[in-house]
């Protein structure tokens, strides 16, 4: 049964539209995800806790494979990574995009084939490069001119490494200024407009141990329209044609990055994957035909759209306070497990679970437990007027860039990740304890 089959009023109102497809209402205001009651998860694993629906992740991987069967789909590990996630992504036939030795080592030690991994990063450390070469990473994406000689030297005269060059195509897109990466005013990539990309490409082609397999761009994140991708794609194909003309080299790959936007609240726009696939394919075919070039293999790198909607965060209410006209509902997590509202002003749609309330809704500000006024998880949300300490709040669309960006602020400890699947719950990542925190502190 899908959520659209449910007769429940919640579903009819579209309130569960941003929840995992497996979400079903249970008695007493509870919800099940992956066949597991959320209140049971909270009781058994304590709060705050992150719940990840394995089927939702797998279905999203499959949707990408089905929409773009001719493309290589790399899951962007920065959105969320764990050993189970590595296995799911591998089993669903995706590759991986990593941006540190940490992500790379975790993936490879969990059994992911290194050849299907691409290493990114605007500032790769010696450790990152050492791990990449030692583990035999498939491709390294060059992000600055100084990297060319560094990678060539690290590979050695008899070695061989496939690389891409990251290009800034001059396209502005993305949900917030901090996550727009398609224009010059930011740190990533090499500019098409000022010729740095062309210059770097020429230098890479001069290095016999580096094999330039293609070009890369990533124009930003949380993009909900197809058009910016088409503009970027056209410019990238134009550059590939110029590379052919200048160097006689036909590059076989074009990596268009990720950034596919999702809805965090019911009614918000999301990038239409089917439309993206159809229009990118058409644009690629036309641009290549116009340039007299064979169509390169398309590569894409979705992160958020694979894992974001598969996650739900559960918090326990610790305090309720009226200050002036504002009702503050304070929970046992906050900006240390989800810095996104504070960083990007993102708005979430928490809901009360675990009891039916008949109280009229009232405008509420859900705040965290951290020592900052900016620790707001969800401002101006409608919650039942009788929300009280002990209640549970569930926040959907919590799978991406929350735990992967979690911090140790106030020594609260990072929450666990519980996978739910076909009625069973299991721990993927355990809660960070005070012992963990203490153990790292080895000074006297
Ligand atoms: N490829 C590259 C090179 C990237 O830098 C990123 C994300 C992706 C792919 C995946 O983008 P996605 O499909 O997940 O949008 N912390 C921010 C998002 C930062 C994105 C960083 N790069 C947030 O919470 O919104």
């Amino acid at each position: 049964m899908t959520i659209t089959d449910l007769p429940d009023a919640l579903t009819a109102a579209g309130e569960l539209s941003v929840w995992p497809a497996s979400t079903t209402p249970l008695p007493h205001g509870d919800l099940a995800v992956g066949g597991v009651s959320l209140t049971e998860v909270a009781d058994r694993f304590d709060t705050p806790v992150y719940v990840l629906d394995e089927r939702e992740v797998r279905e999203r991987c499959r949707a990408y494979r089905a929409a773009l069967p001719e493309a290589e789909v790399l899951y962007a590990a920065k959105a969320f990574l764990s050993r189970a996630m590595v296995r799911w992504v591998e089993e669903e036939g995706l590759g991986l995009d990593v941006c540190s030795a940490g992500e790379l080592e975790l993936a490879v030690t969990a059994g992911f084939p290194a050849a299907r991994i691409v290493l990114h990063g605007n500032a790769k450390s010696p450790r990152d490069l050492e791990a990449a070469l030692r583990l035999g990473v498939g491709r390294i994406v060059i992000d600055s001119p100084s990297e060319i000689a560094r990678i060539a030297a690290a590979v050695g005269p008899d070695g061989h490494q496939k690389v891409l060059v990251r290009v800034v195509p001059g396209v502005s897109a993305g949900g917030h200024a901090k996550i727009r990466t398609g224009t010059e005013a930011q740190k990533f990539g090499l500019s098409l407009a000022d010729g740095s990309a062309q210059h770097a490409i020429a230098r890479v082609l001069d290095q016999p141990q580096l094999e330039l397999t293609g070009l890369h761009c990533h124009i930003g994140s949380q993009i909900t329209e197809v058009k910016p991708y088409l503009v970027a794609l056209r410019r990238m194909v134009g550059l590939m044609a110029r590379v052919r003309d200048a160097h006689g080299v036909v590059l076989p790959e074009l990596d268009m990055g990720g950034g596919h936007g999702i809805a965090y609240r019911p009614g918000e726009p999301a990038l239409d994957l089917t439309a993206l696939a159809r229009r990118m394919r058409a644009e690629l075919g036309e641009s290549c035909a116009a340039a007299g070039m064979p169509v390169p293999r398309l590569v894409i790198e979705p992160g958020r759209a694979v894992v974001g909607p598969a996650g739900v965060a559960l918090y326990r209410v610790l305090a309720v306070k009226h200050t002036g006209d504002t009702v503050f509902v304070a929970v046992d997590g906050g900006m240390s497990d989800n810095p996104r509202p504070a960083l990007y002003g993102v708005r979430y749609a928490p809901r009360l679970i675990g009891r039916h309330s008949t109280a009229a809704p009232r405008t509420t500000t859900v705040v965290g437990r951290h020592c900052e006024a900016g620790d707001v998880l969800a401002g101006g949300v409608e919650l039942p007027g009788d929300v009280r300490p002990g209640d549970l709040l569930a926040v959907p669309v919590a799978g991406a860039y929350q735990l992967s960006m979690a911090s140790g602020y106030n020594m609260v400890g990072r929450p666990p990740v519980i996978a739910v699947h076909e009625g069973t719950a299991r721990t993927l990542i355990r809660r960070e304890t005070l012992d963990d925190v203490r153990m790292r502190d080895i000074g006297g």
Side-chain angles (χ1 to χ4, degrees):
M1 187 186 266
T2 68
I3 56 168
T4 45
D5 301 323
L6 290 165
D8 190 87
L10 290 175
T11 324
E15 279 187 48
L16 296 182
S17 63
V18 297
W19 284 70
S22 69
T23 308
T24 48
L26 295 176
H28 313 298
D30 195 4
L31 290 175
V33 174
V36 177
S37 142
L38 292 183
T39 57
E40 272 176 40
V41 170
D43 289 343
R44 184 170 154 206
F45 298 97
D46 206 356
T47 54
V49 58
Y50 278 72
V51 179
L52 197 59
D53 183 345
E54 174 178 344
R55 161 116 336 132
E56 185 73 26
V57 171
R58 288 186 183 272
E59 289 297 333
R60 287 177 171 272
C61 293
R62 285 174 203 169
Y64 270 100
R65 294 288 312 277
L68 282 159
E70 75 279 28
E72 187 176 356
V73 183
L74 308 176
Y75 167 64
K78 67 207 82 185
F80 171 74
L81 199 64
S82 74
R83 290 147 57 85
M85 188 72 193
V86 166
R87 186 167 56 78
W88 301 342
V89 164
E90 204 270 326
E91 286 172 2
E92 297 304 333
L94 273 58
L96 263 188
D97 139 8
V98 300
C99 62
S100 69
E103 290 175 357
L104 177 58
E105 295 261 5
L106 187 134
V108 173
T109 55
F112 204 91
R116 276 165 50 198
I117 303 180
V118 173
L119 175 70
H120 283 284
N122 72 301
K124 297 175 193 76
S125 71
R127 250 189 86 216
D128 296 334
L129 285 182
E130 182 279 320
L133 299 182
R134 172 170 44 84
L135 298 170
V137 79
R139 282 153 288 175
I140 299 177
V141 181
I142 291 173
D143 195 288
S144 69
S146 59
E147 249 177 27
I148 301 168
R150 253 181 92 204
I151 296 175
V155 169
D158 303 323
H160 176 258
Q161 178 63 51
K162 291 182 178 171
V163 296
L164 302 168
V165 167
R166 177 159 178 172
V167 176
V168 179
V171 176
S172 178
H176 188 278
K178 288 177 187 162
I179 53 174
R180 288 185 197 130
T181 50
T183 57
E184 269 81 23
Q186 51 80 46
K187 67 177 183 173
F188 293 101
L190 294 148
S191 167
L192 180 60
D194 75 4
S196 340
Q198 295 85 322
H199 191 67
I201 291 165
R203 283 188 52 205
V204 171
L205 290 172
D206 271 348
Q207 305 285 336
Q209 62 270 58
L210 301 187
E211 178 187 348
L212 183 67
T213 62
L215 302 182
H216 170 276
C217 72
H218 171 75
I219 55 177
S221 199
Q222 186 58 2
I223 298 167
T224 52
E225 283 172 5
V226 173
K227 190 130 181 268
Y229 288 102
L230 303 181
V231 177
L233 192 140
R234 217 171 298 141
R235 292 187 187 167
M236 296 296 283
V237 171
L239 179 56
M240 290 173 98
R242 269 173 277 155
V243 169
R244 180 211 43 199
D245 296 344
H247 306 284
V249 175
V250 176
L251 299 173
E253 288 182 337
L254 175 56
D255 186 334
M256 292 300 297
H260 310 163
I262 58 176
Y264 281 88
R265 294 181 301 163
E268 283 181 355
L271 187 70
D272 178 344
L273 174 57
T274 314
L276 178 78
R278 179 172 39 82
R279 294 176 64 193
M280 284 223 298
R281 185 180 297 120
E283 183 63 55
L284 189 59
E286 282 163 30
S287 309
C288 289
M293 270 201 329
V295 172
R297 181 165 160 83
L298 188 63
V299 183
I300 54 167
E301 305 172 338
R304 186 195 314 270
V306 170
V307 75
V312 177
L314 302 179
Y315 301 101
R316 188 77 66 182
V317 175
L318 296 180
V320 177
K321 181 160 69 180
H322 299 241
T323 304
D325 291 338
T326 310
V327 180
F328 287 107
V329 168
V331 298
D332 54 0
M335 67 195 301
S336 67
D337 67 87
N338 183 8
R340 302 192 66 255
L343 274 175
Y344 320 114
V346 179
R347 305 199 50 200
Y348 285 84
R351 61 178 297 126
L352 172 68
I353 60 161
R355 71 177 174 89
H356 264 307
S357 169
T358 50
R362 82 180 156 196
T363 307
T364 304
T365 297
V366 179
V367 295
R369 55 165 298 172
H370 294 279
C371 298
E372 294 202 19
D375 179 24
V376 174
L377 276 176
V381 294
E382 294 295 303
L383 284 176
D386 63 349
V387 167
R388 52 190 182 242
D391 277 343
L392 273 179
L393 295 186
V395 182
V397 205
Y401 301 113
Q402 294 188 197
L403 275 191
S404 68
M405 295 174 74
S407 74
Y409 194 28
N410 296 149
M411 296 193 182
V412 163
R414 288 170 289 179
V417 181
I418 309 300
V420 290
H421 188 56
E422 293 175 356
T424 57
R426 70 182 214 279
T427 306
L428 299 189
I429 300 177
R430 69 161 171 82
R431 186 180 301 283
E432 191 174 32
T433 63
L434 287 184
D435 279 343
D436 293 326
V437 176
R438 261 189 240 115
M439 244 157 30
R440 293 183 59 229
D441 184 338
I442 56 171

